[in-house]
Amino acid sequence: MNLISKWIQERKAYSNPLFGAMLMLSGMIFPVFHAAAAIEEPAQTMALNGDQVIDALDAVQAGVPADLAFGIQPIAYREWGKF
């Protein structure tokens, strides 16, 4: 035990609590950013079948611009238009 405490005391001058905290924080945050960047599929594809076209027309009637309702978008404007 004495050897371990001596080893810790010798290296205390090199320790920086801010560096340790930033290292732990980056270990928690960067994987989340990496996972969020891996999402490649858009939330709304182009309106191709009849149900999607009807939902897009409902969204246009609700006030969504036509290019947002019918095109490929990261946000599902047609789902919002249903409500």
Side-chain angles (χ1 to χ4, degrees):
M1 188 68 172
N2 198 6
L3 184 62
I4 293 173
S5 62
K6 183 180 175 185
W7 183 81
I8 291 172
Q9 291 296 327
E10 288 174 357
R11 279 146 185 87
K12 262 191 177 176
Y14 299 111
S15 67
N16 186 345
L18 183 61
F19 175 74
M22 294 302 290
L23 186 63
M24 288 188 296
L25 187 63
S26 66
M28 289 183 264
I29 291 178
F30 288 132
V32 173
F33 287 145
H34 180 71
I39 298 172
E40 296 178 0
E41 295 181 10
Q44 172 178 299
T45 59
M46 185 173 286
L48 298 175
N49 60 22
D51 292 334
Q52 291 175 345
V53 171
I54 291 171
D55 292 341
L57 289 173
D58 290 340
V60 169
Q61 288 178 349
V64 176
D67 58 337
L68 296 178
F70 284 95
I72 299 172
Q73 299 297 327
I75 301 172
Y77 289 102
R78 289 193 295 264
E79 294 293 324
W80 178 82
K82 284 182 187 179
F83 300 107

